[in-house]
Amino acid sequence: MAGGAAALVLVTATGAHAEGRGDVRVTQIVVNGGNNVVVGTSKTVKYKIAVTIKDDSGVKGITDVSTFNTSNGYGFVTWDGDSTCVKKSSTTSVCTATMTVDPGWIPDSDDIDSNRVAGVWQVNATVKANDGDYWISDHIAEYKVKRASRLTTDATPEPVAKGAQLTVNGKLTRANWENLEYHGFTGQSVKLQYRPAGGAHYSTVKTVKTGTHGRLSTKVTVTKAGSWRWYFPGTTTTARIVSAGDAVVLK
């Protein structure tokens, strides 16, 4: 599952620690189509790492790819060893490896707290050319692996009288990778958004912080029918999430 804006930062081959033989080089890496990788508590996640490789003799492919948290070196992603290459020219190909995450692996990924494995990850890759040239690149790209989140909205009373107050409740939770359950996420700024009936877009009305167990609650004065929802923009380690809208009509 992907979420959020583009997350890839390409580190040039000259900037990354690298060694090898010959002139084969990695010129670009795109992780998960440029999106964050979001992992929950049960669903297996697969994503692509696309590596653009260049060599005068042509490209043979990827011989190794690994990825893990940049700050602590822990990871829980596997590569099955296969990749597919699409030839773009006589010297350049894009080779793609599929990475797999089974959440059941995550609790054993860190001996202190597996949740700290979320955040900025790096990619290491070894590539090979048709003439036997090879290149081993460490920290050649960065992207984010985030804990999945959930968000609910419940507006009451329904229906509501014009000019009366509406109470909008909700709850923000996120995946805990230690016990593979969702726990409340407290102290987070969440936006309450409103879309008038027949309208095309939501607009932010106010920002509320989550309390105990990730609960949200606020009051608004209703002037016309419409839908209410909560929006959480996410953090470096937790995915953004938008709740389903709760439509409220007037009496």
Side-chain angles (χ1 to χ4, degrees):
M1 178 168 62
L8 168 76
V9 177
L10 176 68
V11 181
T12 62
T14 54
H17 171 69
E19 60 180 290
R21 181 183 69 197
D23 58 357
V24 62
R25 293 292 186 274
V26 172
T27 61
Q28 185 181 38
I29 292 183
V30 177
V31 181
N32 196 33
N35 296 300
N36 300 316
V37 174
V38 179
V39 182
T41 60
S42 59
K43 184 179 178 181
T44 296
V45 175
K46 291 182 178 289
Y47 63 97
K48 308 287 189 182
I49 297 180
V51 183
T52 302
I53 309 165
K54 184 175 183 179
D55 185 83
D56 289 345
S57 69
V59 175
K60 190 172 184 66
I62 300 171
T63 58
D64 186 60
V65 61
S66 61
T67 182
F68 45 83
N69 185 287
T70 296
S71 63
N72 55 43
Y74 291 110
F76 43 69
V77 175
T78 64
W79 174 50
D80 63 11
D82 291 333
S83 62
T84 58
C85 294
V86 177
K87 189 174 181 179
K88 298 299 182 180
S89 71
S90 61
T91 61
T92 305
S93 294
V94 178
C95 297
T96 302
T98 300
M99 315 305 288
T100 302
V101 183
D102 181 339
W105 304 333
I106 300 178
D108 295 327
S109 63
D110 188 315
D111 54 4
I112 297 175
D113 180 3
S114 58
N115 291 306
R116 68 176 185 160
V117 186
V120 179
W121 282 40
Q122 71 183 62
V123 177
N124 296 354
T126 302
V127 298
K128 193 171 184 180
N130 287 330
D131 61 4
D133 290 352
Y134 69 93
W135 199 250
I136 304 169
S137 298
D138 296 335
H139 206 157
I140 202 168
E142 292 183 350
Y143 65 106
K144 292 184 179 70
V145 177
K146 297 191 176 189
R147 296 159 66 179
S149 55
R150 292 175 176 174
L151 187 56
T152 62
T153 298
D154 182 29
T156 57
E158 297 181 60
V160 64
K162 184 177 180 179
Q165 284 203 319
L166 184 74
T167 299
V168 186
N169 296 314
K171 186 175 183 180
L172 175 66
T173 59
R174 62 173 173 170
N176 184 307
W177 287 343
E178 282 284 285
N179 60 11
L180 300 182
E181 296 178 355
Y182 280 82
H183 293 189
F185 197 10
T186 62
Q188 301 304 305
S189 295
V190 183
K191 299 178 187 297
L192 177 65
Q193 298 184 328
Y194 169 74
R195 183 184 67 192
H201 304 288
Y202 280 89
S203 59
T204 297
V205 176
K206 62 170 70 175
T207 300
V208 179
K209 281 202 170 184
T210 56
T212 304
H213 305 302
R215 292 192 178 96
L216 290 156
S217 186
T218 193
K219 294 182 182 295
V220 291
T221 300
V222 177
T223 58
K224 55 185 176 181
S227 296
W228 299 85
R229 73 180 188 184
W230 293 103
Y231 165 69
F232 174 59
T235 69
T236 300
T237 60
T238 304
R240 66 180 290 276
I241 188 73
V242 182
S243 74
D246 188 358
V248 177
V249 299
L250 300 184
K251 290 182 179 178

